[in-house]
Amino acid sequence: EGDDYLNILRSEFRINNSIFNNVNADAFDSDFSKGEIENTAFRNIGNDGIDASGSEIDIKYVSMDSILDKGVSAGENSILSLRNMNIFNSNIAIASKDRSKVEMRDIELIENNIGITAFEKKSEFGPSSIEGQLVQMKNINIPYLIEKNSFCRINDNVIESNEKNLKELLYIKTDNIQQ
């Protein structure tokens, strides 16, 4: 049993009309790659749905349900574009960390523990950002966790930083954040 169901490394990719279902680890992990994920569903995932490190990914028409850790995780200077997505029943719906940038439009987050978070996990990278339009949240325990120096603007509203060291807080609040 590995860390990821599908891991793309230093490659270009296109995933279309696919289903990731009943995966014990990360469903999709992109390391230093560039690609697209479209018309795809992620259901019953034991860790992250989409985990990106140093990658550039366009994600559209994607549905996620029952993600044990993060629906979408952008790390290590990734650039992600999210369009027409819904994320249900995840621990953290969308996370941007370590100088990553997440830009999103037409996003629906429902029944998640944490909606959106932006922070620095590794000091060699720095703070991160998330910007979104037409973002709807319903029944989210903690809508935003934004670390000082990271940036978040949702539906034309800047979300003020509400934590100084979010990495430590997330490890305390959630049992599933991986090193």
Side-chain angles (χ1 to χ4, degrees):
E1 184 174 308
D3 289 338
D4 310 309
Y5 183 74
L6 175 60
N7 185 213
I8 304 290
L9 178 63
R10 290 181 172 78
S11 301
E12 292 191 14
F13 65 88
R14 184 162 195 265
I15 296 171
N16 192 10
N17 297 322
S18 299
I19 297 173
F20 292 79
N21 193 30
N22 298 323
V23 175
N24 291 330
D26 288 349
F28 177 76
D29 192 338
S30 173
D31 294 312
F32 312 102
S33 297
K34 182 175 182 175
E36 300 176 0
I37 301 172
E38 186 173 356
N39 298 316
T40 295
F42 295 80
R43 294 188 295 246
N44 299 314
I45 307 301
N47 205 34
D48 296 340
I50 297 171
D51 185 5
S53 296
S55 295
E56 187 174 332
I57 309 174
D58 287 325
I59 302 166
K60 52 191 168 190
Y61 300 102
V62 166
S63 176
M64 296 186 166
D65 190 4
S66 299
I67 311 296
L68 202 57
D69 198 2
K70 296 174 289 296
V72 177
S73 178
E76 298 183 9
N77 214 13
S78 289
I79 299 171
L80 302 186
S81 172
L82 314 179
R83 298 273 186 278
N84 300 93
M85 279 190 72
N86 54 55
I87 303 174
F88 302 89
N89 303 306
S90 69
N91 184 32
I92 299 171
I94 300 169
S96 180
K97 57 190 185 292
D98 298 332
R99 203 179 293 139
S100 293
K101 295 179 183 177
V102 175
E103 189 271 328
M104 54 192 179
R105 185 172 189 84
D106 291 319
I107 306 296
E108 188 175 48
L109 308 178
I110 299 175
E111 302 281 339
N112 300 290
N113 184 35
I114 298 169
I116 294 171
T117 184
F119 62 103
E120 174 185 308
K121 182 177 178 184
K122 299 176 181 175
S123 59
E124 62 267 29
F125 287 97
S128 59
S129 69
I130 296 183
E131 296 193 53
Q133 290 292 332
L134 303 174
V135 176
Q136 298 178 37
M137 291 192 206
K138 297 174 186 165
N139 298 326
I140 308 292
N141 291 333
I142 303 168
Y144 301 99
L145 283 176
I146 309 302
E147 188 173 76
K148 187 176 186 216
N149 298 323
S150 288
F151 179 77
C152 181
R153 179 176 27 230
I154 303 297
N155 301 329
D156 295 321
N157 297 311
V158 173
I159 309 302
E160 295 298 325
S161 301
N162 51 5
E163 298 294 338
K164 288 186 180 173
N165 188 343
L166 197 47
K167 176 179 68 170
E168 288 183 15
L169 182 67
L170 283 172
Y171 284 105
I172 292 167
K173 283 187 181 234
T174 64
D175 295 328
N176 302 319
I177 300 291
Q178 302 295 312
Q179 288 285 24

